[in-house]
Amino acid sequence: MATEACAVCDTDVRIAGGIGDLWSFAFESTQGLTLELVDGSEFFLCFDCLERLPDDTEPTAADVERLQAATETDAGTAADGTETDVPSK
């Protein structure tokens, strides 16, 4: 089984296929995909983060960066790497 980290949430995402699946008979689906955006940038995103991209315009690297910043803030880490106070839910 191969994995790759999502460019937004940094979660290890399963990539189906390959020799590892041949021997283990794992027939699970891929959990993300690589996107080439209109500005020429390329990112691997999990399906959850892919759903968070804007629907009304063509996504760009700036949209992915906004998602990264929002994810870091939600996780309690500011974009500059410092800890933030996140209220418990």
Side-chain angles (χ1 to χ4, degrees):
M1 174 182 80
T3 61
E4 186 168 342
C6 174
V8 172
C9 65
D10 204 34
T11 301
D12 280 337
V13 176
R14 179 176 171 25
I15 301 172
I19 194 71
D21 288 345
L22 178 66
W23 298 115
S24 68
F25 298 103
F27 298 108
E28 299 172 20
S29 64
T30 297
Q31 299 169 336
L33 54 92
T34 300
L35 295 177
E36 184 176 337
L37 305 178
V38 295
D39 61 4
S41 59
E42 189 173 287
F43 297 95
F44 182 83
L45 300 178
C46 68
F47 290 139
D48 289 338
C49 291
L50 181 66
E51 288 291 320
R52 296 171 51 202
L53 288 173
D55 289 334
D56 56 343
T57 61
E58 292 285 339
T60 63
D63 295 316
V64 174
E65 290 168 5
R66 273 192 290 280
L67 289 178
Q68 289 168 334
T71 300
E72 290 170 351
T73 301
D74 291 344
T77 305
D80 64 0
T82 59
E83 293 294 317
T84 60
D85 292 328
V86 176
S88 57
K89 295 180 181 177

